[in-house]
Amino acid sequence: MIAGEYNGPLVEGVRDGKGVLEWSNKDSYNGDFKNGLRHGKGTFLEVNGHRYDGEWALSVKSGSGKEVWPNGDVYEGEYSKDVPNGQGELTTKGARYKGGFRHGLRDGLGVMLFVKSGGKYEGHWKAGKMSGKGVYTWADGQRYDGDWKDGVRCGSGVMSYVNGERHDGYYFDNKKHGSGW
C-alpha cells in the first residue's frame, strides 16, 4: 500500500473510492482508489509542478491522460505501464509530434513539426527516430521523400530542391550515394 496521509473512504481498513493522498514531501494524488491503490481517474501533482491527470490501473498510468512537466512540455494521449503507449501528442519547446508511441518513444506513423527550423516530417518512426518511409519538408521548400533509418536518410529516395532540380537515387548516412541526377 502507498504510504502517506489519506482522506477518503476505507473498506475494511483499505483505501477504496474517491480520496486524497498526500506524501510527506507534499506530492499528492486526488482521485479514485481500489484495494489501496490508485485505480480509476485521478490527478497526481508533484511539488515541482509535474502533473498527470488521467486514468490509473494498479497505481500506474494506464489509459488516457495528460501530463505536464515543469519545463512546459505536455503529452496528451494513451498510456500503458506508466509511459506513453498508443496514440498521442507531445509538445515541447522545440517540436510538436502527433502519432504513435511505444514504450514512451515515438513509434509507428506520426507527424513532427520542428519549431525552430520550420521543418516537418511525416512518416514512420521506430524507437524515437525517423525510420522507414517518410517525407521531410524544409522551411525553404526542399523536400525529401524516401527511406529513413535511425533518424537519417538511408536507402532510396527523391530529394527535390527549390530551384526545380531533383536527385532520385540512393542515400547512405544522410548523404547522396551514387548516381541519381
Side-chain angles (χ1 to χ4, degrees):
M1 181 151 33
I2 306 165
E5 188 176 319
Y6 174 72
N7 184 6
L10 299 172
V11 174
E12 296 180 14
V14 177
R15 299 175 193 121
D16 207 287
K18 291 201 180 297
V20 177
L21 178 63
E22 187 175 296
W23 287 266
S24 60
N25 68 356
K26 301 301 181 194
D27 290 350
S28 65
Y29 171 79
N30 184 343
D32 298 329
F33 289 86
K34 184 174 180 180
N35 297 321
L37 301 174
R38 293 170 283 178
H39 196 86
K41 291 188 177 185
T43 300
F44 177 69
L45 180 60
E46 292 181 67
V47 175
N48 68 7
H50 176 247
R51 176 185 184 111
Y52 171 77
D53 294 297
E55 297 174 329
W56 297 82
L58 305 174
S59 286
V60 297
K61 293 172 252 177
S62 186
S64 60
K66 180 178 181 180
E67 194 162 6
V68 180
W69 287 269
N71 68 359
D73 292 355
V74 177
Y75 171 79
E76 189 164 5
E78 298 171 323
Y79 285 82
S80 178
K81 298 180 183 173
D82 242 9
V83 296
N85 208 61
Q87 293 298 303
E89 187 168 344
L90 176 65
T91 304
T92 67
K93 287 184 174 107
R96 188 170 75 234
Y97 172 81
K98 186 174 185 176
F101 286 85
R102 185 168 186 237
H103 305 301
L105 300 172
R106 293 179 297 274
D107 205 281
L109 283 174
V111 177
M112 176 88 101
L113 302 173
F114 298 90
V115 176
K116 291 179 184 174
S117 71
K120 177 182 178 181
Y121 174 79
E122 294 183 71
H124 290 268
W125 296 80
K126 185 173 182 179
K129 296 180 179 177
M130 299 176 282
S131 254
K133 296 285 184 195
V135 177
Y136 189 99
T137 307
W138 282 261
D140 66 1
Q142 291 184 89
R143 174 184 159 113
Y144 173 78
D145 184 346
D147 296 328
W148 295 80
K149 183 178 180 185
D150 294 328
V152 297
R153 294 173 288 180
C154 190
S156 61
V158 177
M159 182 74 191
S160 302
Y161 298 91
V162 199
N163 64 6
E165 290 182 11
R166 57 187 261 150
H167 177 263
D168 186 349
Y170 193 78
Y171 288 78
F172 180 75
D173 200 21
N174 217 31
K175 295 180 181 110
K176 293 178 246 174
H177 188 73
S179 63
W181 291 100

